[in-house]
Amino acid sequence: MSATENPTVESIAALIDHAILKPELTDAEVESDLDLAGRWGVFSVCVRPSDVPRSVARLAGTGVATGTVIGFPHGSTSTAAKTAESRRALEDGAAELDMVLHIGRLRSGDLAAVTDDIAAVVAVAEGRIVKVILETAFLTDEQVVAGSKAAEAAGASFVKTSTGFAGGGATLHHLRLMRDAVSPAVRVKASGGVRGLDTLLQMRAVGVDRFGTSATETILTDVQRLAETGSTSGATDASSY
């Protein structure tokens, strides 16, 4: 993988969904983060649903896509609420949807309900990318595998580790489980705790295709430093996402 073997700012930025999801963010703070994403040329931003119109307008012409979250962060809203939220997000200009599956139903073993819930959002998306957040910190290995397989059965484009708000983030162990559980047609997104280039490269090497992080500037500054000096700073971002 070229991004792993010879990372450049462009190749790593193309893997990043810059997360702008903290509930306390002000309008000015959201706009500052959107501008940061535009400057670095990341693949996309992942914003709160109410910020989708602002993001689409502010990032127009930058090539940075706008994504948003559905059923976030708990996943326990009804399927009807998730589909309504999805429709509105798409009407507002969202290009991708990161939905939280029903964690309690997955832990209960009700895979039919979990699959149907995901499939309903996939249907509303009409071919747009849907990423399914498992919230791996709450799951056994068997549940991680089952949730990943349910996401693929429902037609999702990605399986994703975490919201970043559950006290645990992406781990190499869970990422390997997810990658092995789904076919090559389904991609894997790591989120929660991706705060430096070394971590990102380790995860990329086990098959991760996209990264949700608020530490974009730290990571991409590390790429620049690596090119200049051959080493990274090891700095971390204090964000939970």
Side-chain angles (χ1 to χ4, degrees):
M1 299 176 186
S2 61
T4 302
E5 295 165 2
N6 186 29
T8 64
V9 169
E10 293 76 16
S11 67
I12 299 301
L15 304 174
I16 291 176
D17 294 341
H18 181 61
I20 314 174
L21 293 167
K22 291 180 180 178
E24 73 273 20
L25 290 174
T26 65
D27 290 349
E29 288 169 333
V30 169
E31 290 171 359
S32 177
D33 258 343
L34 292 171
D35 292 344
L36 182 153
R39 286 196 307 274
W40 286 103
V42 298
F43 185 88
S44 78
V45 293
C46 191
V47 300
R48 303 171 302 193
S50 57
D51 293 324
V52 170
R54 182 192 307 274
S55 176
V56 171
R58 199 164 185 96
L59 292 173
T62 67
V64 178
T66 294
T68 193
V69 287
I70 304 297
F72 194 86
H74 299 130
S76 55
T77 49
S78 68
T79 299
K82 287 179 180 176
T83 55
E85 190 175 25
S86 299
R87 289 190 187 94
R88 180 55 187 263
L90 296 169
E91 290 170 2
D92 285 343
E96 298 187 351
L97 304 176
D98 289 33
M99 70 164 289
V100 187
L101 57 64
H102 200 301
I103 302 160
R105 298 256 164 82
L106 176 58
R107 294 184 69 242
S108 299
D110 192 350
L111 295 179
V114 171
T115 304
D116 289 348
D117 186 54
I118 298 167
V121 173
V122 170
V124 169
E126 296 183 333
R128 299 175 185 86
I129 285 176
V130 174
K131 309 186 198 90
V132 176
I133 304 171
L134 304 180
E135 203 65 286
T136 51
F138 293 146
L139 306 178
T140 65
D141 287 358
E142 291 75 16
Q143 290 162 353
V144 170
V145 170
S148 299
K149 290 183 178 296
E152 178 162 23
S157 305
F158 277 80
V159 287
K160 175 178 171 182
T161 54
S162 320
T163 63
F165 293 92
T171 68
L172 289 171
H173 174 68
H174 285 144
L175 290 165
R176 289 189 184 100
L177 284 176
M178 293 161 64
R179 181 65 276 165
D180 290 345
V182 295
S183 75
V186 178
R187 291 174 280 174
V188 176
K189 178 174 174 179
S191 64
V194 184
R195 297 172 186 153
L197 178 61
D198 291 344
T199 298
L200 183 148
L201 293 178
Q202 289 171 1
M203 293 178 174
R204 179 66 171 150
V206 301
V208 175
D209 302 282
R210 200 88 69 81
F211 297 87
T213 182
S214 60
T216 296
E217 193 153 50
T218 297
I219 291 168
L220 295 177
T221 298
D222 275 355
V223 179
Q224 291 180 328
R225 186 175 291 106
L226 179 64
E228 293 167 0
T229 69
S231 65
T232 61
S233 65
T236 58
D237 178 84
S239 168
S240 64
Y241 196 96

